[in-house]
Amino acid sequence: MASRFLFFVVRRGVNALVTIIIMIALIFMIIHLVAPSPTDMARLYVGSHFNLQQLVQIAHRLGFDQPLYVQFYNYVVGFFQGNFGTDTIYGIPEILVIQEYFPVTIDMVLIGTFLGVGLGIFTGAIAASNRNTAPDYGIKALYLGTWAAPPFLVGVVLQLILAYDLGLLPTTGVADPILLHPAVVTGLPLVDSILAQNWVYLYSYIQHLILPALTIGLISFGSITRLTRATMVDALDKDYVKLAYMKGLPRRKVIWGTAFRNAIIPIITLLAITFAFSVGGAVVVEDVFAYHGIGFFAVTAAYDLDYPAILAITIIVGASVIVANFIADILYGVMDPRVRLT
Amino acid sequence: MSDGAQKWLERFRLFRGRHKSSSGAVTEAEAPLGESSGLNFIMGYVRRDKIALAGTIGIAIFVMWSVIQGILEQLSGYLNDTTLAYILLPSNPFAFNFKLVLAPPSLANFPVGLMGYDATGRSILSRILYAAPKDALAAILVVTSAIVIGMLLGITAGYIGGWADEVLMRVTDAFLAFPLILLAIALALVLGNGYQVVLVALVVIWWPTYARFFRAQALSLKNRGYVEASRLSGLSSFRIIIRHIFPNSIDPIVAIATLDFGNVVLTYSVLAFLGIGAEVGSPEWGSMSASGLQYVPHVWWFALFPSIAIMAVVVCFSLLGDRIQDLVGGRISY
């Protein structure tokens, strides 16, 4: 059993690695379709304020005059060493820019995903145990509304009500701008401020985090609700639930203790998809809340035609989604021993 | 369960039996053809279900309006006659009126001012109606192209298996891992901005889900009795795929595709909101909401009504898609 599990992990790991390399190849292909010649590539990286001779020199310095397979090899090796080229706007290595923006998004998306999953599982279970009654329809209306609404609408409505009208939370930004960022240890501001025991920054950071994370949670909880409701409805018809009733357990215990625990296992597969969806949604949410994460940076980079940045962001976010998928696969194998590990 | 419901359930079993049983030929004779064929069955069910009916009516209105308005817009381009494009609209969606800048919704000059006016005094209602064909065209083109591409690759991978499967699925995984919006931004960036580019980007991000789906279908179908029988009788792989695998895997796709029409409208509007694919001056629901947001909270109608248009379309598609999924998946809840 143990060796089979190890084989499963290794196989999935190799698959994930191959997928990442194919992804890099795709991005590599896209960028070389746009800029077929070395000087075109150089122009992409440094802008158009250089003459041909200078461009040739720059292309040579950045290695664009090498054969394509050498460049591709360097690109892949560079990726695993954390080297994504130089940012065309800031003129510093891309990885530094991304290190600045990505952790903020990771904090937000992870918390938003957990909010969404928690809300989805809870509402799904309630809907299933009150099938075809008012709570069921109410929950359906709620998730259809937030699911079908464009993410920016959800964000703006929350911003209007909670920040502008009630004044409970700050409207935009990552933290109070007068506060100093705590020393970087892990990169995640949430963890860093706790490590540095900078409670003022932590308080301000969490205050600013609530609205974007809540928006992410609201736009992503619908699919979890649907799946939880479906699996709960199936589980509630099973014999072991009837047995639990016959043993004289109260309804509440049967629903939350017996049916619920068996019904949430398939949700794990949805976790990675929800994460990927949330990262995509983060682009819009960060735009609405002027939240300076990777999505905000991606949109700015798109407007500035900062190709290396947008390609690096796409690869890094894609790779993190693949890693999330990999973790979800393994978790599923651990949680449900009946799953065939292939 | 009422008698009527019982009858429908029986019909439904018949419908499933015809498509899913291992000996297709036998049950084919049992099921009266035409009466319970896929589409008729779904439409019959939809007529009885109020929620699905509401969704269907909404979709019908959206699609019919888009077709008529879209044809008028194209014609006006060919005939070089701009008035033709506005003939059905309450007012000219491009006409500035600086007396009405950001004027709130009112019943005066009905129905032009029903949804208020934007920052240059253009009627928001007219602009929403003018932009509808773009969303409809995007939804239809993207979903059908994604289905065709996904079908070709997915069925090939599932039916042939082995190395072809391994290679195709890794490529599919790579595409699936890209967050939709980021990949669309990257593609729009490298291919240049514009409506067609956004459609291409949407197809690129949409086909992998269908490839996965058709692969799963092909895998489950390829060892069925009737497929083996036709293989033994010497039918080529190509003909088996055309005659057996494809027709039998299309039913579940209908539900997913219906939901996806809405999802494409949503994603398209998000891209437009971010300024990708929106052409200057041409109204678009997402970009209208984006420009309206600058005036929130005092001017709520500018951002809200375009967003509500998006939401209404997506809700209609989800209502119908949900019901079809229940039907095809065998979960009818009366």
Side-chain angles (χ1 to χ4, degrees):
Chain A
M1 188 61 213
S3 69
R4 241 183 103 188
F5 186 68
L6 197 68
F7 178 73
F8 168 75
V9 172
V10 170
R11 194 187 132 87
R12 283 296 154 97
V14 171
N15 271 0
L17 209 64
V18 172
T19 313
I20 290 178
I21 292 177
I22 293 176
M23 204 166 68
I24 298 175
L26 283 173
I27 290 291
F28 190 76
M29 232 161 66
I30 290 177
I31 198 165
H32 278 273
L33 280 177
V34 187
S37 76
T39 44
D40 286 342
M41 282 293 287
R43 194 175 283 124
L44 273 191
Y45 272 75
V46 295
S48 51
H49 304 292
F50 295 88
N51 64 32
L52 193 63
Q53 215 166 8
Q54 287 167 317
L55 280 179
V56 170
Q57 272 176 3
I58 292 165
H60 181 72
R61 183 160 55 82
L62 295 173
F64 295 140
D65 50 355
Q66 288 168 329
L68 273 183
Y69 61 90
V70 176
Q71 285 189 49
F72 180 63
Y73 175 78
N74 289 338
Y75 202 81
V76 173
V77 171
F79 171 79
F80 287 105
Q81 290 172 344
N83 174 15
F84 303 98
T86 310
D87 193 275
T88 56
I89 306 292
Y90 301 100
I92 52 173
E94 204 63 71
I95 188 73
L96 293 179
V97 187
I98 286 168
Q99 267 173 5
E100 180 80 23
Y101 287 108
F102 200 37
V104 180
T105 302
I106 287 285
D107 269 355
M108 183 189 82
V109 166
L110 280 184
I111 290 176
T113 309
F114 278 115
L115 275 179
V117 170
L119 195 63
I121 290 178
F122 186 65
T123 51
I126 290 178
S129 50
N130 299 298
R131 203 183 330 173
N132 295 341
T133 58
D136 186 12
Y137 294 129
I139 285 169
K140 176 148 192 177
L142 181 70
Y143 82 69
L144 257 183
T146 54
W147 188 38
F152 44 84
L153 182 68
V154 180
V156 168
V157 168
L158 283 181
Q159 196 181 36
L160 270 180
I161 298 173
L162 293 176
Y164 282 115
D165 277 2
L166 300 177
L168 293 175
L169 295 161
T171 52
T172 50
V174 179
D176 201 332
I178 58 162
L179 295 175
L180 276 179
H181 192 282
V184 175
V185 185
T186 56
L188 300 174
L190 202 60
V191 183
D192 280 355
S193 52
I194 293 174
L195 286 179
Q197 301 189 331
N198 191 344
W199 306 124
V200 184
Y201 187 85
L202 183 70
Y203 178 69
S204 164
Y205 184 73
I206 290 177
Q207 256 195 338
H208 285 78
L209 184 69
I210 292 173
L211 275 182
L214 193 63
T215 312
I216 294 273
L218 276 182
I219 60 174
S220 58
F221 88 99
S223 51
I224 307 263
T225 309
R226 278 164 47 118
L227 186 64
T228 314
R229 185 183 177 278
T231 51
M232 270 292 269
V233 165
D234 284 347
L236 284 171
D237 288 340
K238 289 274 163 59
D239 284 344
Y240 58 77
V241 171
K242 285 180 194 141
L243 179 73
Y245 273 123
M246 278 190 273
K247 282 196 301 191
L249 287 177
R251 190 178 123 86
R252 200 164 50 87
K253 268 201 167 162
V254 176
I255 288 170
W256 295 104
T258 312
F260 180 68
R261 278 171 58 186
N262 283 290
I264 54 167
I265 295 176
I267 308 296
I268 297 167
T269 41
L270 211 63
L271 278 181
I273 300 170
T274 313
F275 175 75
F277 177 79
S278 304
V279 175
V283 178
V284 181
V285 173
E286 288 177 4
D287 197 64
V288 170
F289 291 102
Y291 202 77
H292 287 210
I294 201 84
F296 185 84
F297 179 51
V299 175
T300 341
Y303 283 131
D304 296 342
L305 297 182
D306 189 350
Y307 291 88
I310 202 90
L311 297 178
I313 294 169
T314 314
I315 288 186
I316 288 185
V317 173
S320 63
V321 170
I322 291 175
V323 171
N325 265 317
F326 177 56
I327 295 172
D329 274 353
I330 291 175
L331 260 183
Y332 197 82
V334 173
M335 294 278 282
D336 191 347
R338 289 168 306 176
V339 173
R340 244 180 344 121
L341 302 177
T342 45
Chain B
M1 196 184 282
S2 70
D3 275 349
Q6 192 73 46
K7 203 183 98 201
W8 280 98
L9 205 63
E10 265 166 30
R11 256 187 142 177
F12 174 69
R13 290 207 182 102
L14 222 56
F15 162 69
R16 271 175 68 78
R18 190 167 72 81
H19 284 259
K20 300 280 156 59
S21 80
S22 54
S23 51
V26 181
T27 38
E28 190 102 43
E30 285 169 18
L33 255 172
E35 197 190 7
S36 73
S37 81
L39 195 66
N40 277 359
F41 173 78
I42 288 172
M43 289 325 290
Y45 176 74
V46 160
R47 244 178 271 134
R48 294 179 155 242
D49 184 273
K50 283 199 189 91
I51 296 175
L53 186 65
T56 316
I57 292 174
I59 294 169
I61 294 173
F62 170 62
V63 170
M64 275 185 329
W65 170 258
S66 301
V67 169
I68 296 170
Q69 175 64 21
I71 289 173
L72 284 178
E73 282 172 28
Q74 286 301 316
L75 267 184
S76 79
Y78 288 128
L79 302 178
N80 219 352
D81 174 16
T82 43
T83 51
L84 200 57
Y86 320 140
I87 208 160
L88 292 178
L89 301 176
S91 67
N92 181 347
F94 298 104
F96 297 151
N97 185 346
F98 292 105
K99 282 180 193 151
L100 288 170
V101 168
L102 296 176
S106 68
L107 286 174
N109 198 3
F110 184 85
V112 183
L114 207 57
M115 293 184 178
Y117 298 87
D118 72 0
T120 43
R122 298 174 291 198
S123 159
I124 290 175
L125 177 65
S126 299
R127 288 175 73 77
I128 287 179
L129 289 175
Y130 185 84
K134 274 188 185 172
D135 291 73
L137 187 69
I140 290 166
L141 279 184
V142 169
V143 173
T144 45
S145 339
I147 287 180
V148 170
I149 298 172
M151 189 185 77
L152 287 176
L153 297 179
I155 290 185
T156 313
Y159 188 77
I160 295 174
W163 273 103
D165 184 23
E166 204 64 39
V167 170
L168 283 175
M169 278 307 109
R170 290 294 81 73
V171 174
T172 312
D173 280 353
F175 272 100
L176 267 181
F178 284 120
L180 302 181
I181 294 169
L182 277 181
L183 186 61
I185 292 177
L187 281 173
L189 199 59
V190 293
L191 297 175
N193 218 338
Y195 182 63
Q196 285 91 345
V197 172
V198 167
L199 292 192
V200 172
L202 283 171
V203 173
V204 168
I205 59 187
W206 230 276
W207 70 266
T209 21
Y210 286 99
R212 287 235 121 176
F213 201 86
F214 274 108
R215 173 179 176 268
Q217 288 287 314
L219 276 182
S220 77
L221 289 172
K222 80 173 182 187
N223 291 324
R224 294 286 172 87
Y226 59 90
V227 175
E228 266 170 24
S230 36
R231 204 179 299 141
L232 284 176
S233 68
L235 231 60
S236 69
S237 295
F238 180 73
R239 284 193 66 87
I240 292 176
I241 288 174
I242 295 290
R243 292 285 301 275
H244 296 291
I245 309 273
F246 173 65
N248 281 303
S249 53
I250 205 73
D251 275 348
I253 289 289
V254 175
I256 298 182
T258 314
L259 287 173
D260 263 357
F261 283 122
N263 287 338
V264 169
V265 171
L266 199 57
T267 312
Y268 174 65
S269 74
V270 164
L271 291 177
F273 174 84
L274 295 171
I276 292 148
E279 283 145 2
V280 177
S282 177
E284 211 301 305
W285 292 350
S287 53
M288 282 169 77
S289 316
S291 33
L293 281 185
Q294 301 163 19
Y295 305 99
V296 165
H298 304 293
V299 180
W300 48 268
W301 52 91
F302 189 3
L304 194 69
F305 284 117
S307 303
I308 286 181
I310 300 165
M311 201 168 147
V313 169
V314 181
V315 164
C316 287
F317 278 113
S318 336
L319 288 178
L320 183 63
D322 262 3
R323 280 297 156 166
I324 297 179
Q325 198 148 41
D326 286 352
L327 276 178
V328 178
R331 286 198 308 266
I332 316 182
S333 49
Y334 278 98

